[in-house]
Amino acid sequence: MTRLIDTHAHYNDEKFDGLRDELIGSLLGGGTELIINAGTNLDTCRSSVALAAKYDGIYAACGIHPEDCGKYGDMEFVLSELKAMLGHPKVVALGEIGLDNHWEDPPADVQKKWFYAQLSLASELEIPVIIHDREAHGACMDAVKEFKGVKGVFHSFSGSAEMAKELVKLGFYISFSGTVTFKNASRVLESASAVPLDRLLVETDCPYLAPHPFRGKLNHSGYMTYTAQKLAEIKGVPYDELCCAVNENARRLFRL
């Protein structure tokens, strides 16, 4: 059975304290080929880089998440720190960045300022981005249209099938997590159906979004098979063909 690349994880989350090393060792020694661990603020970016330095099978992404951008006053300093980390040989993307309208704090204008600044940095460095889009589909679409040279992935996609098609035309990849297996996931299923096989990625977003039948439990890369099996069913292709395709897509996008 084909080993999978987990394109979005958070193994530096405190939920993994006490079991992190043993779990990562078993995953990389088993059905997980590679893991991209995403930072969300300067501290978690640094710990993501440290994880990548420690394990051959882990790469890192560094960026300021929309929920975390309100904690920083000196944007110039933060961006300079990010730029330094993005130069590390095992950092493969700027992320996760984006917009989140589910929460009112930090305000939308603050989130937008940080999102656009980081998209500008990605353009300067010619590095792919990992975008968090929660209840901000139109604003995120407007942003990526403004930075036409920037490419990347919308992770744990929750937008419409029409949005997915438009993003693919713009050169983006679309990633799906365990949400595609949820019983109430009709919108996600429609979106997954609309994404061509050569633009599809698989992720966990662990420790969150464990697939059915593990929903609500601690998620990890070993559960990706359930997401991949569902996507193979949706796309009407054999499981191993789906896995080979999403792995090749990950290698292409992140230059692995």
Side-chain angles (χ1 to χ4, degrees), residues 105-176:
D105 185 29
D109 61 328
V110 175
Q111 292 188 31
K112 181 178 179 180
K113 179 181 176 183
W114 280 88
F115 187 28
Y116 276 62
Q118 291 179 96
L119 287 172
S120 179
L121 180 59
S123 178
E124 175 192 339
L125 300 178
E126 298 183 342
I127 191 170
V129 292
I130 297 174
I131 293 180
H132 170 103
D133 167 20
R134 189 178 187 189
E135 300 173 20
H137 307 314
C140 282
M141 181 70 81
D142 289 344
V144 297
K145 283 181 176 178
E146 192 162 328
F147 291 86
K148 290 184 171 62
V150 176
K151 299 297 181 281
V153 56
F154 274 64
H155 101 91
S156 193
F157 189 72
S158 61
S160 66
E162 290 73 23
M163 180 181 181
K165 291 175 184 176
E166 183 68 17
L167 286 170
V168 167
K169 288 179 183 177
L170 292 171
F172 277 81
Y173 291 74
I174 310 294
S175 179
F176 292 94

Side-chain angles (χ1 to χ4, degrees), residues 161 165 176 187-196 200 231 234-235:
K165 291 175 184 176
F176 292 94
R187 179 181 170 96
V188 179
L189 298 181
E190 290 174 6
S191 298
S193 298
V195 179
L200 200 61
L231 288 171
I234 293 167
K235 302 306 292 180

Side-chain angles (χ1 to χ4, degrees), residues 202-248:
V202 178
E203 64 170 278
T204 57
D205 201 18
C206 67
Y208 314 102
L209 303 181
H212 177 79
F214 305 101
R215 188 173 182 179
K217 297 183 179 180
L218 184 74
N219 195 13
H220 61 70
S221 304
Y223 293 154
M224 257 192 314
T225 54
Y226 293 87
T227 301
Q229 285 167 357
K230 186 65 178 180
L231 288 171
E233 175 188 320
I234 293 167
K235 302 306 292 180
V237 299
Y239 174 78
D240 279 349
E241 182 180 335
L242 183 283
C243 293
C244 288
V246 296
N247 283 352
E248 178 57 31

